[in-house]
Amino acid sequence: TSALANFLDDTSYTNRQLGISLSVPEGWVITKQTGYPSILAFMLSTDGGGKVALSYARLPAGKTLKRYLKETTRTMQATGFDIKSSKPVRDNGAVAWEVRAKDNLSRLRVLQFYLKRGNSLFVFTLTCTSKRLDYLSGELQSFVELTQFQSPRKP
């Protein structure tokens, strides 16, 4: 479990320090993973067709989300990803960005949704086969809609 977790079970995740809570859509479970401190929760579809990671990063002072993503997509390309699109999207008025890519090594598709809250970035990363991408992109939107934000609490 991430060192930042306050509560994690098979269907929900809460982190009071970051002010985020998440319930997974039907057909998904949260796994208990270790070793990746920036990953807050890791979810698997019960049919084995996809996985979603929710990660967290701090946006460096003075760096815009657009600039951060330009650097991130450049790094993805350098490590074997083919970036299909990178564009801003609206999420109930919040600052958000969508990145679509293909992993050239495994041939899996990657859909990332970056959600900016102040200087915090919450990143939902879906990984699946190209056959499942259209269906699971809707599931990823469900993850975002089921995520709630509160004021972060100091440790």
Side-chain angles (χ1 to χ4, degrees), residues 20-84:
I20 186 172
S21 61
L22 164 73
S23 296
V24 297
E26 188 174 329
W28 290 82
V29 294
I30 298 177
T31 64
K32 293 163 178 62
Q33 61 82 37
T34 60
Y36 300 98
S38 67
I39 295 179
L40 302 176
F42 192 69
M43 290 75 65
L44 297 173
S45 63
T46 54
D47 67 4
K51 56 186 172 182
V52 173
L54 171 61
S55 57
Y56 166 80
R58 296 286 294 165
L59 191 62
K63 188 174 282 190
T64 65
L65 179 58
K66 186 175 182 177
R67 184 170 157 214
Y68 179 88
L69 284 163
K70 187 174 185 177
E71 293 170 5
T72 298
T73 55
R74 201 175 301 139
T75 300
M76 290 174 73
Q77 288 173 320
T79 57
F81 286 88
D82 180 16
I83 305 300
K84 299 296 185 185

Side-chain angles (χ1 to χ4, degrees), residues 80-81 102-110 127-130:
F81 286 88
K102 179 178 78 171
D103 182 339
N104 288 324
L105 182 60
S106 69
R107 313 297 285 173
L108 291 174
R109 300 294 175 151
V110 175
T127 307
C128 63
T129 64
S130 58

Side-chain angles (χ1 to χ4, degrees), residues 109-130:
R109 300 294 175 151
V110 175
L111 174 58
Q112 292 184 310
F113 190 82
Y114 291 75
L115 190 58
K116 182 179 180 291
R117 299 281 194 213
N119 284 340
S120 297
L121 283 179
F122 295 94
V123 184
F124 292 85
T125 301
L126 166 69
T127 307
C128 63
T129 64
S130 58

